[in-house]
Amino acid sequence: MENPLSIILVKSDSKGDRLLFRYPYVQIKEENETSQNDRKKNPYSITLLEEQQKEGNTMRLAGIDTASMNVQLESDEVLSSLFACKLELANQKFELKINDIRFVSHPALMETKNSFILINIVFALQAQCSYSIVKCYYELSKRLGLGLLYEERRVNYLTKEMKTMLKIHDDTIYDHKSEKIFDTILQKSSLAQCLKTLYFDLCSTGLINVVLNESVTLCFCLPQKAWRARFSDRKTKSQPLIDPEVIDRAIVSLKPYHGFLLLVDPSELLDCVPPSSAKILLQLIESYNPLKSLQSMSSDADLPLDQVYQMVGHLVYWAKATIIYPLCETNVYVISSDAPIHVNSPLVERFANKFPGMQLIEVISDFSLPTSIGHLTTPLQHPARQGRLAQMVLWMLQHHLLMQLHTYVQFMPSYEKPNDTSGLSLSDFGSTPTKQSSALSPEKSPTMSDPLDVPVSSSSVRQIPSSHKSFNSNMSVDDRTGSGKSEEENEDEKLQGLLNSFDECDRLAILKVPASVNFEDLNLMVRLKQSGYFQGEHHLEEIMFYENLRRSQLLQLLDKFRDVLILYETEDPASCFLGFKTK
């Protein structure tokens, strides 16, 4: 569905309209040519390919599915008249659907010394392809037009290429059933060669890195195709169809505490960025570490955090990286629902080659239920063994065999409303504080310490989400204490002031919690609730980062107020985009 059926180059100027080049131009005929001739001819008909001729075999060797549908475009005059747009349609989206074919382009208007030239690079697609795919090809046509416009202004590149193509058209006896004209153009025109390379790249990998006139580098990606290739080991119908909109939503969800995991060797990254961005990419890769957050890598690489976001987003779009939370012992993982871990899976053999003496089925079985890395290690374990486990977890994350679960908090008190609550006060509820919770994070190894279990320094970059409500410091109980009151009365007023931040029903439920009589515990509880963290939208790692809390401190608080809080585990929206839409 993502592959183009054809690329068509049409020009329109004062001398008339002309189809200059199209690819593929090989006409592959069916065996029963006689019956085919008896049918009503349709220049846009789709014919199933049963036998591959020379050009078809070349496509098959390049990884293109030649058994798919091919566009038989026999009338170049009709095509030139269709795609030679009026000037009013220049520099905007052009889309035309004829039967089962959808044509998409962005006509570009160019001013030469003598006149105006409208150049149109048209992609023929299957009509039923999704809107996101159509949008990608429209963007590609637009970028090609801009590249040609730049080279035309610089060295008259397009004018020279058009003259070459037109001369071949005029000097050759035109035969609709012959590929001689386009074959000759392909040999003598660098623009035609570029379009052919572009077609093969779109059909094989979806990743494009071509150079126009040895000057302008065009980098482009079909994320649907690129990400599908990442799941080539999944021989099921659940291969994800990753639309650009889904990736964009994940990128918007990026936070400083996130990290990223490369899916390819660093040497394969330079082909996805133009030369102007290569330096920034190299700076980021030099500081890359799956155990570090984006904020840490930003600091180490001396790059603005927003620039790191953009580069990571670009790598994710190109299926070169995926978003993760930095690897640490407190991370909880579970087997992905569509993980291809059957005995005959190619990943089983690949894992054994990567980690000699280890079996994928045995290792991944430890994550049949949500399990933290710390649960699989001990403080007495040799660091090398811990490091090996970390490498195996990273490998399984690279192949999307594991997904990470985060703990989210929802404030949901349960209570029985009394008949009369007007006379209730703190003295009507128990004042015995709860025992300190033992829910502490596991011991940490030097290689996988929790990146958020150490308070953030005041000088570090902290971006507070706009959805968070800042705690009202004007409610400080110190401002409400009178100098003539006893310490016990002041403490009671402090607690009462904090409880007043809840409505009546929630206040009654809070008062039943023994920890509510402790000012420090209740103060932290109120602060986090008023900041919007207890609405089921922020996981523990996010709360720790933005509120500068230790994991043990936060877990103790949640344990003390467990009667009014619900904890549940699910994926982080920024890292679970692979599961948003499957097909």
Side-chain angles (χ1 to χ4, degrees), residues 416-425 428-429 504-505 507-508 511-512:
E416 295 180 2
K417 187 174 181 179
N419 295 329
D420 184 11
T421 61
S422 58
L424 292 178
S425 64
D428 294 314
F429 295 86
E504 181 180 355
C505 295
R507 182 163 59 248
L508 293 176
L511 283 170
K512 292 182 179 180

Side-chain angles (χ1 to χ4, degrees), residues 60-72:
R60 179 173 53 81
L61 293 174
I64 302 172
D65 183 13
T66 53
S68 63
M69 297 180 178
N70 183 46
V71 183
Q72 301 293 319

Side-chain angles (χ1 to χ4, degrees), residues 383-551:
R385 186 177 180 86
Q386 294 181 352
R388 186 175 178 82
L389 175 61
Q391 291 300 321
M392 290 189 292
V393 170
L394 289 174
W395 189 92
M396 289 186 285
L397 288 174
Q398 286 177 325
H399 293 82
H400 313 290
L401 302 180
L402 296 178
M403 64 177 180
Q404 183 177 357
L405 300 179
H406 294 266
T407 301
Y408 290 78
V409 187
Q410 177 72 51
F411 180 76
M412 190 172 291
S414 59
Y415 50 83
E416 295 180 2
K417 187 174 181 179
N419 295 329
D420 184 11
T421 61
S422 58
L424 292 178
S425 64
L426 285 171
S427 61
D428 294 314
F429 295 86
S431 59
T432 304
T434 58
K435 297 176 66 176
Q436 293 293 323
S437 170
S438 59
L440 301 178
S441 57
E443 294 293 330
K444 311 239 176 343
S445 68
T447 57
M448 289 187 292
S449 60
D450 191 335
L452 297 185
D453 203 36
V454 179
V456 183
S457 65
S458 59
S459 60
S460 60
V461 179
R462 298 181 60 199
Q463 297 182 352
I464 306 299
S466 58
S467 61
H468 295 177
K469 299 178 182 178
S470 59
F471 182 66
N472 186 2
S473 59
N474 295 329
M475 290 182 59
S476 174
V477 293
D478 294 335
D479 297 336
R480 297 194 297 269
T481 55
S483 58
K485 296 182 180 179
S486 64
E487 182 178 349
E488 183 178 353
E489 290 175 332
N490 290 337
E491 187 72 18
D492 187 69
E493 285 195 8
K494 293 178 183 180
L495 292 171
Q496 192 65 51
L498 292 172
L499 289 170
N500 287 337
S501 62
F502 298 94
D503 58 37
E504 181 180 355
C505 295
D506 292 345
R507 182 163 59 248
L508 293 176
I510 291 290
L511 283 170
K512 292 182 179 180
V513 179
S516 63
V517 299
N518 183 289
F519 173 75
E520 292 183 357
D521 290 339
L522 185 60
N523 181 58
L524 180 57
M525 159 69 174
V526 172
R527 176 159 64 91
L528 296 181
K529 182 180 182 300
Q530 290 191 341
S531 296
Y533 292 115
F534 293 164
Q535 298 177 1
E537 300 176 354
H538 309 280
H539 52 68
L540 300 191
E541 287 75 20
E542 183 171 2
I543 300 173
M544 290 163 55
F545 178 83
Y546 286 116
E547 295 302 320
N548 201 15
L549 296 174
R550 294 180 180 273
R551 182 177 295 273

Side-chain angles (χ1 to χ4, degrees), residues 176-349:
H176 291 296
K177 296 183 179 180
S178 171
E179 296 83 36
K180 183 177 181 181
I181 294 177
F182 294 126
D183 190 53
T184 305
I185 290 176
L186 188 59
Q187 296 176 20
K188 297 186 177 181
S189 169
S190 64
L191 177 56
Q193 295 167 9
C194 180
L195 293 178
K196 176 184 176 180
T197 301
L198 188 144
Y199 175 83
F200 272 86
D201 289 345
L202 286 171
C203 293
S204 56
T205 64
L207 306 178
I208 297 172
N209 190 299
V210 297
V211 181
L212 289 172
N213 195 32
E214 300 181 353
S215 175
V216 177
T217 301
L218 174 65
C219 294
F220 187 81
C221 171
L222 276 177
Q224 303 91 340
K225 184 89 173 181
W227 274 107
R228 188 181 293 275
R230 292 292 168 200
F231 290 86
S232 58
D233 296 310
R234 283 166 164 77
K235 305 301 182 182
T236 65
K237 295 182 179 180
S238 61
Q239 291 188 0
L241 178 61
I242 308 298
D243 288 336
E245 294 78 9
V246 174
I247 299 177
D248 291 341
R249 288 198 296 267
I251 301 305
V252 170
S253 301
L254 272 179
K255 300 293 190 303
Y257 54 77
H258 283 126
F260 73 98
L261 178 63
L262 288 179
L263 304 178
V264 298
D265 189 86
S267 61
E268 300 180 34
L269 297 178
L270 288 178
D271 63 345
C272 73
V273 295
S276 58
S277 301
K279 182 179 179 181
I280 297 175
L281 178 60
L282 290 175
Q283 284 181 254
L284 179 60
I285 297 305
E286 285 180 359
S287 64
Y288 164 73
N289 191 327
L291 277 66
K292 294 162 60 176
S293 67
L294 297 180
Q295 179 173 303
S296 297
M297 285 184 273
S298 170
S299 177
D300 295 344
D302 194 23
L303 292 172
L305 190 57
D306 288 343
Q307 206 166 43
V308 173
Y309 284 166
Q310 293 175 0
M311 187 57 67
V312 171
H314 184 79
L315 294 178
V316 172
Y317 192 90
W318 278 66
K320 304 283 189 179
T322 187
I323 301 169
I324 63 171
Y325 180 78
L327 193 69
C328 64
E329 289 189 346
T330 56
N331 288 3
V332 175
Y333 298 101
V334 70
I335 301 176
S336 298
S337 59
D338 62 341
I341 53 175
H342 50 85
V343 177
N344 296 324
S345 170
L347 292 179
V348 173
E349 182 179 357

